[in-house]
Amino acid sequence: MNAAPLPPVKLGVLISGEGTNLQAIIDAIAGGDLRAEIRLVISNKASAGGLERARRHGISVMTIDHRGYANRRDFDHALAEALQSHDVELVVCAGFMRLLSPVMIDAFRGRIMNIHPALCPAFPGVNAVRQALAYGARFTGCTVFFVTAGVDDGPIIVQAVVPVLQDDDEAALAARIHAEEHRIYPLAIRLYQERRLEIDGRIVRIRDYGHSAASGTLVNPRLD
Ligand code: GRF
């Protein structure tokens, strides 16, 4: 007899901009690849394009402008209250350009994910794609991780590797990284929904990990 399917995970998505990762999550849910329900999308900017994407799909939206708060903690209290009042289980930061304080991290311990356009721990903070290019890295990519108090250094859930090509400019490389982000963020959330993630210190263990081509070695430039 098959076990009953696990319930959809209730998401709160935090954004500041275009929201293409939000869109990828919406699409994964609509396509049946992810059992989740987006309870609320919050932006700290009223002009964020992602708000319109959410509205178009009938998702509740809210703008909480950080400039209206005296400090990070007060802002985070407002965030946590809004998320909790919408019964959010997992907080998904998707291009949310604010650092979270212990107020949010404690309120949702082990239940906040973020995505960074680099292979953590390389190139943390802003302009990660520009940093990778300037450094001359042959590979970069993107990382989904659990948020901790540090900057882009929480336990890693999923990474995708993107080669840096000789003629890449920032826009071209960023576009290829973005395409991978749209694949790995829904995957990371699905692993959470399936209760397959276990945080063990700074290591995330994945139940039923199995084998995959992703464990293959990559070389750039090609060896042949
Ligand atoms: C992504 O590159 C993500 O890695 C970074 O912010 C960007 C958000 O893009 N944290 P979008 O708003 O999802 O299009």
Side-chain angles (χ1 to χ4, degrees):
M1 207 174 74
N2 286 337
L6 292 164
V9 56
K10 296 172 192 163
L11 306 178
V13 184
L14 307 185
I15 62 168
S16 300
E18 259 322 293
T20 64
N21 280 288
L22 166 66
Q23 187 68 56
I25 296 163
I26 292 172
D27 293 347
I29 296 170
D33 294 326
L34 176 61
R35 281 174 61 77
E37 181 196 345
I38 303 178
R39 307 280 302 180
L40 177 66
V41 171
I42 302 177
S43 173
N44 64 313
K45 290 187 177 167
S47 60
L51 288 174
E52 192 41 45
R53 292 177 191 272
R55 279 194 206 99
R56 230 182 287 142
H57 291 272
I59 298 167
S60 302
V61 300
M62 203 181 267
T63 298
I64 304 182
D65 190 332
H66 59 280
R67 294 171 305 183
Y69 296 84
N71 54 53
R72 223 178 267 285
R73 294 180 68 89
D74 288 356
F75 172 63
D76 279 12
H77 272 298
L79 284 182
E81 210 173 277
L83 293 162
Q84 281 159 349
S85 73
H86 283 74
D87 204 18
V88 164
E89 183 185 343
L90 178 68
V91 180
V92 172
C93 301
F96 183 61
M97 301 306 282
R98 307 295 303 168
L99 290 178
L100 294 176
S101 74
V103 169
M104 266 296 289
I105 291 166
D106 291 344
F108 290 91
R109 185 157 290 283
R111 294 187 293 133
I112 308 177
M113 289 184 185
N114 193 10
I115 190 157
H116 183 64
L119 291 174
C120 294
F123 312 126
V126 292
N127 299 324
V129 179
R130 196 177 309 166
Q131 290 184 58
L133 274 175
Y135 196 88
R138 292 286 183 219
F139 288 105
T140 183
C142 43
T143 304
V144 181
F145 60 96
F146 282 115
V147 173
T148 55
V151 178
D152 301 323
D153 72 351
I156 292 168
I157 306 164
V158 186
Q159 292 187 305
V161 176
V162 175
V164 180
L165 306 180
Q166 189 114 309
D167 298 327
D168 266 340
D169 59 15
E170 191 178 341
L173 181 56
R176 295 206 311 286
I177 293 173
H178 237 123
E180 293 308 314
E181 291 185 7
H182 300 158
R183 285 151 39 103
I184 67 170
Y185 222 163
L187 168 62
I189 298 167
R190 179 160 65 81
L191 291 171
Y192 183 95
Q193 184 269 330
E194 292 173 347
R195 302 197 186 143
R196 291 170 61 193
L197 302 179
E198 191 187 311
I199 305 174
D200 177 8
R202 74 147 297 114
I203 307 295
V204 176
R205 304 206 180 277
I206 302 179
R207 266 189 280 280
D208 303 324
Y209 175 78
H211 299 283
S212 95
S215 50
T217 304
L218 302 172
V219 180
N220 179 27
R222 292 162 58 122
L223 284 172
D224 52 354

Coordinates of all heavy atoms in Angstrom, one line a residue, residues 15-24 50 53 93-97 114-118 125 128-129 141-143 145 152 174 177-178 181-182 185, ligand 1:
I15 N 10.5 39.0 -1.9 CA 11.1 39.5 -3.1 C 11.5 41.0 -3.0 O 11.0 41.6 -2.1 CB 10.2 39.3 -4.4 CG1 8.9 40.1 -4.2 CG2 9.9 37.8 -4.6 CD1 8.1 40.2 -5.5
S16 N 12.3 41.4 -3.9 CA 12.6 42.9 -4.0 C 12.5 43.3 -5.5 O 12.5 44.5 -5.8 CB 14.0 43.2 -3.5 OG 14.1 42.9 -2.2
G17 N 12.5 42.4 -6.4 CA 12.6 42.8 -7.8 C 11.7 42.0 -8.8 O 10.5 41.8 -8.5
E18 N 12.3 41.5 -9.9 CA 11.6 41.0 -11.0 C 10.8 39.8 -10.7 O 9.7 39.5 -11.3 CB 12.6 40.6 -12.1 CG 12.7 41.6 -13.2 CD 11.3 42.2 -13.5 OE1 10.4 41.4 -14.0 OE2 11.0 43.4 -13.3
G19 N 11.3 38.9 -9.8 CA 10.5 37.8 -9.4 C 10.5 36.6 -10.4 O 9.6 35.9 -10.5
T20 N 11.6 36.5 -11.1 CA 11.6 35.3 -12.1 C 11.7 34.0 -11.3 O 11.2 33.0 -11.8 CB 12.7 35.4 -13.2 OG1 14.0 35.4 -12.5 CG2 12.6 36.7 -14.0
N21 N 12.4 34.0 -10.2 CA 12.4 32.8 -9.4 C 11.1 32.5 -8.8 O 10.6 31.3 -8.8 CB 13.5 32.9 -8.3 CG 14.9 32.6 -8.8 OD1 15.2 31.4 -9.1 ND2 15.7 33.6 -8.9
L22 N 10.4 33.5 -8.4 CA 9.0 33.4 -7.9 C 8.2 32.7 -9.0 O 7.4 31.8 -8.8 CB 8.4 34.7 -7.5 CG 6.9 34.8 -7.4 CD1 6.4 33.9 -6.2 CD2 6.4 36.3 -7.2
Q23 N 8.4 33.2 -10.3 CA 7.6 32.7 -11.4 C 7.9 31.2 -11.6 O 7.0 30.4 -11.9 CB 8.0 33.5 -12.7 CG 7.1 33.1 -13.9 CD 5.7 33.6 -13.7 OE1 5.4 34.7 -13.5 NE2 4.7 32.6 -13.8
A24 N 9.2 30.8 -11.5 CA 9.6 29.4 -11.7 C 8.9 28.6 -10.6 O 8.5 27.4 -10.9 CB 11.1 29.3 -11.6
G50 N 7.8 41.4 -9.4 CA 7.3 40.2 -8.9 C 5.9 40.3 -8.3 O 5.1 39.3 -8.3
R53 N 3.4 39.7 -11.0 CA 3.3 38.2 -11.3 C 2.5 37.5 -10.3 O 1.6 36.7 -10.7 CB 4.7 37.6 -11.3 CG 5.7 38.1 -12.3 CD 7.1 37.4 -12.0 NE 8.1 38.0 -12.8 CZ 8.5 37.6 -14.0 NH1 7.8 36.6 -14.6 NH2 9.5 38.1 -14.7
C93 N 13.3 33.2 0.2 CA 13.8 34.5 -0.3 C 14.2 34.3 -1.7 O 15.0 33.5 -2.1 CB 15.1 34.9 0.5 SG 14.7 35.0 2.3
A94 N 13.6 35.2 -2.6 CA 13.8 35.0 -4.0 C 14.2 36.4 -4.6 O 13.3 37.1 -5.0 CB 12.6 34.4 -4.7
G95 N 15.5 36.8 -4.5 CA 15.9 38.1 -4.9 C 15.4 39.1 -3.9 O 15.1 40.3 -4.2
F96 N 15.4 38.8 -2.6 CA 15.1 39.7 -1.5 C 16.3 40.3 -1.0 O 17.2 39.7 -0.6 CB 14.4 38.9 -0.4 CG 13.9 39.7 0.7 CD1 12.9 40.7 0.5 CD2 14.4 39.5 2.0 CE1 12.5 41.5 1.6 CE2 13.9 40.3 3.1 CZ 13.0 41.2 2.9
M97 N 16.4 41.7 -1.2 CA 17.7 42.3 -1.0 C 17.9 42.9 0.4 O 18.5 44.0 0.5 CB 17.9 43.4 -2.1 CG 17.8 42.9 -3.5 SD 19.0 41.6 -3.9 CE 20.4 42.6 -4.1
N114 N 17.3 30.6 0.8 CA 17.7 31.8 -0.1 C 18.4 31.2 -1.3 O 18.9 30.1 -1.3 CB 18.6 32.7 0.7 CG 18.8 34.1 -0.1 OD1 18.1 34.3 -1.0 ND2 19.7 34.9 0.4
I115 N 18.5 32.0 -2.4 CA 19.3 31.6 -3.5 C 20.3 32.7 -3.8 O 20.1 33.9 -3.7 CB 18.4 31.3 -4.7 CG1 19.2 30.6 -5.9 CG2 17.7 32.6 -5.2 CD1 18.3 29.8 -6.8
H116 N 21.5 32.2 -4.2 CA 22.6 33.1 -4.5 C 23.3 32.8 -5.8 O 23.5 31.6 -6.1 CB 23.7 33.0 -3.3 CG 24.8 34.0 -3.5 ND1 24.6 35.4 -3.5 CD2 26.1 33.8 -3.7 CE1 25.8 36.0 -3.7 NE2 26.7 35.0 -3.8
P117 N 23.6 33.8 -6.6 CA 24.1 33.5 -8.0 C 25.6 33.2 -8.0 O 26.3 33.9 -8.8 CB 23.7 34.7 -8.8 CG 23.7 35.8 -7.8 CD 23.3 35.2 -6.5
A118 N 26.0 32.3 -7.2 CA 27.4 31.9 -7.2 C 27.5 30.5 -6.5 O 26.5 30.1 -5.9 CB 28.3 32.9 -6.4
G125 N 27.6 38.1 -1.1 CA 27.1 39.5 -1.2 C 26.7 39.9 -2.6 O 26.3 39.1 -3.4
A128 N 27.6 39.1 -7.4 CA 28.3 37.9 -7.4 C 28.8 37.4 -8.8 O 29.9 36.9 -9.0 CB 27.4 36.8 -6.8
V129 N 28.0 37.8 -9.8 CA 28.3 37.4 -11.2 C 29.5 38.2 -11.6 O 30.5 37.7 -12.2 CB 27.1 37.6 -12.1 CG1 27.5 37.2 -13.6 CG2 25.9 36.7 -11.7
G141 N 28.0 29.5 -10.7 CA 26.7 28.8 -10.7 C 25.8 29.5 -9.7 O 25.8 30.7 -9.6
C142 N 25.0 28.6 -9.1 CA 24.0 29.2 -8.1 C 23.8 28.1 -7.0 O 24.1 26.9 -7.2 CB 22.7 29.5 -8.8 SG 22.1 28.3 -10.0
T143 N 23.4 28.7 -5.9 CA 23.3 27.9 -4.6 C 22.0 28.2 -3.9 O 21.7 29.3 -3.7 CB 24.4 28.3 -3.7 OG1 25.7 28.1 -4.3 CG2 24.4 27.4 -2.4
F145 N 20.4 27.6 -0.2 CA 20.9 27.3 1.1 C 19.9 27.7 2.2 O 19.0 28.5 1.9 CB 22.2 28.0 1.3 CG 22.2 29.5 1.2 CD1 22.1 30.3 2.4 CD2 22.3 30.1 0.0 CE1 22.0 31.6 2.3 CE2 22.2 31.5 -0.1 CZ 22.1 32.3 1.1
D152 N 25.1 34.7 2.9 CA 25.3 33.7 1.9 C 26.2 32.5 2.4 O 26.9 31.9 1.6 CB 25.8 34.2 0.6 CG 24.9 35.3 0.0 OD1 23.7 35.2 0.2 OD2 25.4 36.3 -0.5
A174 N 25.0 36.0 -16.4 CA 23.9 36.1 -15.4 C 22.7 35.4 -16.0 O 21.9 34.7 -15.2 CB 23.6 37.5 -15.1
I177 N 23.1 31.6 -15.5 CA 22.9 31.3 -14.1 C 21.5 31.3 -13.7 O 20.9 30.4 -13.0 CB 23.8 32.2 -13.2 CG1 25.3 32.0 -13.5 CG2 23.5 32.0 -11.7 CD1 26.2 33.0 -12.8
H178 N 20.8 32.4 -14.1 CA 19.4 32.6 -13.8 C 18.6 31.3 -14.3 O 17.7 30.9 -13.6 CB 18.8 33.8 -14.5 CG 18.3 34.8 -13.6 ND1 18.7 36.1 -13.5 CD2 17.3 34.7 -12.7 CE1 18.0 36.7 -12.6 NE2 17.1 35.9 -12.1
E181 N 19.0 28.7 -11.8 CA 18.2 29.1 -10.6 C 16.8 28.6 -10.7 O 16.2 28.0 -9.7 CB 18.3 30.6 -10.3 CG 19.6 31.1 -10.0 CD 19.5 32.6 -9.6 OE1 18.5 33.2 -9.5 OE2 20.6 33.2 -9.5
H182 N 16.2 28.8 -11.8 CA 14.8 28.4 -12.0 C 14.6 26.9 -12.0 O 13.5 26.5 -11.8 CB 14.3 29.0 -13.4 CG 14.5 30.5 -13.4 ND1 14.5 31.2 -14.6 CD2 14.6 31.4 -12.4 CE1 14.6 32.5 -14.3 NE2 14.7 32.7 -13.0
Y185 N 15.7 26.0 -7.6 CA 14.9 26.5 -6.5 C 13.6 25.6 -6.3 O 13.4 25.1 -5.1 CB 14.5 27.9 -6.6 CG 14.6 28.7 -5.3 CD1 14.7 30.1 -5.3 CD2 14.7 28.0 -4.1 CE1 14.8 30.8 -4.1 CE2 14.8 28.7 -2.9 CZ 14.9 30.1 -2.9 OH 15.0 30.8 -1.7
Ligands
GRF1 C1 18.8 36.1 -8.5 O1 19.9 36.1 -9.3 C2 19.1 35.5 -7.1 O2 20.2 34.6 -7.2 C3 19.5 36.8 -6.4 O3 18.6 37.8 -6.9 C4 18.2 37.4 -8.2 C5 16.7 37.5 -8.2 O4 16.2 37.4 -9.5 N1 19.4 36.5 -5.0 P1 14.6 37.3 -9.7 O5 14.0 38.5 -9.0 O6 14.1 36.0 -9.1 O7 14.4 37.4 -11.1

